[in-house]
């Protein structure tokens, strides 16, 4: 089988259904399977999915707890049979035969471990971040918040052909099987956010490249799949975890000091927006992954 497509659902069956329908509509000339992982949604949401999936050749896995994005995807991977893995947000939709394009490119580039592509809204307007640099010390110190400008200069190109980046959006990640497995896959300790940075860092250490493929797009209804999750604190908790996990303690310590000054100042100007992040950077916090119970 060419591709295993893994989709995580949490109380958003309508988006999952639309995502699956777009896959069937546009995906041709490849063999694929679809694996849907439900993260302990409501009974009504499960019922809607069961009705839609009835008599379809789709694997439907139901977790007794909410595993989060990374954990849910990694759970689904354990049942995958394809030579490539496409982890697609359930609030995404295909608009062309994207999977065939990515498959062909993957076979042409032996160093490519994972690929991503442009995410657009319903009006076909591109999102600001479909690829970017690692959010590391250099990023904070030199204010590298314009990835298009950064990579245009780095590659000396107009970015219309595939090029290497640090990371791609986690909303659509297309892996070679061996690259995903060698990297260790998504970390279940990350409930939400920064999963793509973590796994792309590990891929790079294993000698694989992260490739941005600009010749295709997908629609992403940003945030719809996580609208019922308390995400504000998780954003900061996940980031600190990824830095501490992948860099030295001294590196983590210096970056944390920089963030304390940065968010301390922001908290003075906009306390409602930034004080919770400052508090987590100062004292730490517990991820939602540890609060989920069956």
């Amino acid at each position: 089988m060419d591709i295993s497509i893994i989709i995580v659902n949490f109380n958003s069956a309508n988006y999952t259904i639309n995502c699956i329908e777009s896959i069937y509509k546009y995906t041709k000339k490849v063999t694929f399977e679809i694996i849907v992982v439900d993260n302990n949604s409501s009974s009504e949401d499960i019922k809607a999915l069961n009705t839609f999936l009835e008599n379809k050749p789709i694997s439907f896995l139901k977790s007794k707890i909410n595993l989060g994005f990374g954990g849910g995807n990694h759970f689904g991977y354990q049942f995958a049979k394809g030579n490539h893995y496409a982890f697609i947000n359930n609030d995404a939709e295909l608009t062309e035969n994207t999977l065939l394009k990515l498959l062909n490119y993957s076979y042409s580039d032996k160093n490519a471990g994972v690929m991503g592509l442009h995410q657009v809204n319903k009006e076909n307007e591109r999102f600001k971040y479909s690829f970017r640099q690692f959010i590391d010390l250099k990023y904070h110190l030199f204010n590298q918040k314009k990835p298009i400008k950064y990579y245009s200069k780095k590659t000396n190109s107009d970015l219309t052909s595939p090029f290497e980046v640090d990371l791609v959006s986690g909303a659509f990640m297309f892996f070679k099987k061996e690259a995903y497995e060698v990297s260790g896959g998504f970390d279940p300790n990350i409930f939400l956010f920064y999963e793509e940075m973590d796994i792309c860092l590990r891929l790079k250490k294993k000698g694989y490249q992260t490739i941005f493929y600009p010749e295709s797009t997908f629609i992403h209804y940003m945030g719809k799949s996580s609208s019922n999750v308390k995400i504000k604190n998780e954003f900061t908790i996940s980031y600190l975890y990824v830095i501490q996990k992948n860099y030295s303690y001294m590196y983590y310590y210096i970056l944390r000091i920089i963030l304390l000054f940065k968010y301390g100042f922001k908290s003075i100007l906009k306390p409602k927006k930034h004080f919770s992040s400052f508090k987590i950077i100062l004292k730490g916090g517990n991820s939602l992954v540890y609060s989920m119970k069956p």
Side-chain angles (χ1 to χ4, degrees), residues 40 46 87 262 270 281 290:
N40 195 28
I46 292 289
F87 297 94
K262 181 178 179 179
K270 297 181 179 180
I281 297 166
Y290 301 112

Side-chain angles (χ1 to χ4, degrees), residues 141-208:
L141 290 173
F142 298 103
N143 195 28
Q144 296 177 336
K145 295 182 179 180
K146 297 179 179 179
I148 294 176
K149 181 179 180 180
Y150 174 85
Y151 283 108
S152 293
K153 184 177 180 180
K154 183 177 180 179
T155 62
N156 192 29
S157 73
D158 58 4
L159 306 184
T160 57
S161 299
F163 58 98
E164 183 181 3
V165 296
D166 283 345
L167 61 91
V168 293
S169 168
F172 195 123
M173 302 185 82
F174 188 86
F175 288 86
K176 283 188 173 77
K177 176 183 178 180
E178 62 269 23
Y180 183 82
E181 293 179 344
V182 166
S183 74
F186 286 112
D187 185 345
N189 289 315
I190 304 173
F191 187 80
L192 198 62
F193 301 122
Y194 288 100
E195 305 90 346
E196 63 268 62
M197 178 168 162
D198 176 60
I199 199 168
C200 288
L201 276 165
R202 286 183 277 122
L203 279 170
K204 188 170 185 177
K205 291 176 183 177
K206 295 295 183 179
Y208 285 98

